[in-house]
Amino acid sequence: MHRAETDVLVVGGGVTGCAAAYYLAQAGADVTLVERYDLNTQASGRNAGSLHGQIQHEAFLELGEEWAFEWGPTLSLLRDSIDLWRGLPEELGADLEVDVCGGLLVAATDAQLRDIERKAAIERSFGVGVELLSRDDLQRVAPYVSGRMAGALLCEVEGKANPLLAVPALARAAADRGARLLLETEVHSVERRRSGFGVETTAGTIDCGRIVDCGGAEAAVVSKLVGVDVPVERWPIQMSVTEAVPPLVTHLVYFAKEKLTLKQAKSGSLLIGGGWPSREDDSGRLSVDVTSLAPNLRLAIEVVPQIAGASLLRTWAGVCPGIADWRPVIGEAAPGFFVALFPFLGFTGGPLLGKIVAQLALGEETGRDLAPFSPVRF
Ligand SMILES: Cc1cc2nc3c(=O)[nH]c(=O)nc-3n(C[C@H](O)[C@H](O)[C@H](O)COP(=O)(O)OP(=O)(O)OC[C@H]3O[C@@H](n4cnc5c(N)ncnc54)[C@H](O)[C@@H]3O)c2cc1C
């Protein structure tokens, strides 16, 4: 076991941690990232790659308008993070398959359209560009969508990126700028010192000035080591990929009837998800739940009937970090200890979240009102 020193220690090698390490290293900070497994093996490498910019419809129906107004400030984080996504391929010199192709929330009935309209009014009040499409408009904009659909909401800022490419590119860029990446290194205890922390890991002790907790679904466990309670929920969910099919689905597609996201990757594969539950046993082992799979696929086919013939290649599970109020957790939770967690939509929000927490850890101004996202709001 050896001893190491670093100014900022980032815990977690997902999109948030790798983005934080990248922006910290870019600013010239002495930064070390520790990841207990390999990079990008948890939520950031298992997600659907949707870049979300609207209020999620299921959450809106379940939690209501008052919640949506409280959650609203999160929309500007999503918008600004998607802006970062647009620039990352050039900045990192890597094709991340970023495509801001627009999102379509499709409605099967007039009642669903009315719910969408209520949601759209709130989105507009937060400056999100959304457009309601009639049945005819929808067929014009997305002729691949079933003619049975009643209309849709088009949100132009939305799109997709490839989760398998993004984190490795951020990590490479961080390392190129001097960040140390320690893999298979798990943080298991933290001792507060007069100045900074002594962090015990499976690879020895790391003395650091500040800690940035980007532990995703395990962020609460990491925070607890310094006595901070962040009520992170674990949502085991699953998604599926088909064989490559000819170009067809040109948007990120949702369905107002029930949980669905559907998009076509650059490879031609269709990615089908939307937050359907998977199984997780007491030891944390994940497995696919076939009772989620069938309805998920049926919804996709209901919206885009032409995909019915595509063969399913694989379905997998991952644990999505959640927070009951759906708002991100960003800030200094205890002196020198920073938390960065973007619940549910953290692939979209990860780059900006990493950038903001890097600024906070360096004592820089972020130019944002982070009060709604305070880690001490619970
Ligand atoms: C199936 C699925 C589909 C999703 N689809 C989308 C989507 O389409 N769009 C979207 O925006 N979001 C989506 N999400 C959510 C998104 O993936 C997550 O919000 C995001 O990836 C969280 O990133 P993270 O870096 O915070 O966490 P993670 O990617 O989970 O990374 C955290 C890392 O911290 C490490 N770690 C934890 N504890 C320790 C410790 N003690 N020591 C060292 N390392 C530690 C973990 O091993 C892990 O690698 C989806 C999630 C899932 C599961």
Side-chain angles (χ1 to χ4, degrees):
M1 300 294 257
H2 70 288
R3 244 190 141 79
E5 269 183 47
T6 191
D7 189 2
V8 187
L9 182 72
V10 176
V11 183
V15 64
T16 312
C18 289
Y22 167 65
Y23 289 112
L24 282 160
Q26 191 184 52
D30 173 46
V31 54
T32 301
L33 179 149
V34 287
E35 163 55 50
R36 65 179 168 168
Y37 304 129
D38 202 344
L39 297 173
N40 210 29
T41 54
Q42 303 307 304
S44 299
R46 300 177 185 216
N47 67 70
S50 309
L51 299 180
H52 300 289
Q54 62 180 291
I55 301 168
Q56 296 303 288
H57 195 64
E58 286 266 325
F60 176 69
L61 294 182
E62 200 183 309
L63 301 170
E65 291 190 11
E66 201 180 317
W67 164 80
F69 277 109
E70 278 173 10
W71 186 80
T74 310
L75 288 163
S76 64
L77 297 183
L78 293 172
R79 180 200 61 210
D80 294 351
S81 202
I82 292 173
D83 266 353
L84 277 184
W85 274 109
R86 287 179 199 257
L88 278 177
E90 195 183 327
E91 193 175 326
L92 304 179
D95 180 9
L96 309 181
E97 300 182 5
V98 177
D99 184 2
V100 181
C101 52
L104 270 183
L105 170 59
V106 176
T109 64
D110 289 342
Q112 287 166 14
L113 267 183
R114 283 193 294 276
D115 285 334
I116 290 177
E117 273 176 46
R118 284 192 297 123
K119 186 171 83 79
I122 299 171
E123 285 158 347
R124 287 198 188 99
S125 75
F126 285 97
V128 180
V130 285
E131 186 189 346
L132 284 160
L133 303 182
S134 66
R135 188 185 296 269
D136 290 346
D137 291 341
L138 174 59
Q139 285 307 308
R140 189 175 38 78
V141 168
Y144 59 89
V145 168
S146 162
R148 291 167 179 253
M149 296 297 135
L153 182 82
L154 176 64
C155 179
E156 285 192 340
V157 75
E158 297 192 308
K160 58 196 172 186
N162 187 330
L164 298 179
L165 300 175
V167 172
L170 281 164
R172 269 195 306 275
D176 287 349
R177 285 156 184 78
R180 285 175 294 276
L181 309 179
L182 305 181
L183 308 184
E184 295 182 8
T185 302
E186 179 169 3
V187 170
H188 53 73
S189 67
V190 178
E191 187 195 330
R192 185 175 280 287
R193 304 263 169 78
R194 202 172 306 146
S195 108
F197 303 90
V199 178
E200 295 299 329
T201 77
T202 43
T205 307
I206 302 175
D207 295 320
C208 63
R210 282 150 287 173
I211 298 174
V212 178
D213 175 4
C214 302
E218 301 295 320
V221 180
V222 177
S223 292
K224 194 88 186 155
L225 300 176
V226 291
V228 169
D229 277 321
V230 183
V232 181
E233 300 169 355
R234 293 172 62 82
W235 288 72
I237 57 173
Q238 63 189 43
M239 54 162 305
S240 302
V241 64
T242 72
E243 64 178 333
V245 297
L248 176 70
V249 179
T250 51
H251 301 89
L252 162 61
V253 177
Y254 311 84
F255 197 7
K257 179 178 169 183
E258 246 188 297
K259 289 192 276 278
L260 173 71
T261 61
L262 166 65
K263 69 183 74 65
Q264 189 161 18
K266 193 176 175 187
S267 65
S269 289
L270 299 163
L271 292 157
I272 302 169
W276 283 83
S278 64
R279 297 210 168 110
E280 185 180 28
D281 69 16
D282 291 345
S283 68
R285 196 195 315 264
L286 297 169
S287 58
V288 167
D289 187 338
V290 285
T291 64
S292 286
L293 180 59
N296 193 187
L297 299 181
R298 266 199 300 274
L299 288 167
I301 293 167
E302 188 177 342
V303 179
V304 184
Q306 284 180 70
I307 67 171
S311 296
L312 190 66
L313 287 186
R314 196 161 73 91
T315 301
W316 65 89
V319 177
C320 186
I323 292 283
D325 65 13
W326 277 64
R327 295 205 298 269
V329 183
I330 319 170
E332 189 168 10
F337 183 85
F338 299 82
V339 180
L341 181 93
F342 210 119
F344 302 112
L345 312 177
F347 180 67
T348 310
L352 183 70
L353 186 61
K355 184 171 189 173
I356 293 174
V357 81
Q359 290 169 327
L360 293 175
L362 294 173
E364 292 174 0
E365 272 301 316
T366 65
R368 291 173 182 276
D369 175 12
L370 296 176
F373 314 118
S374 166
V376 293
R377 70 179 184 268
F378 303 105

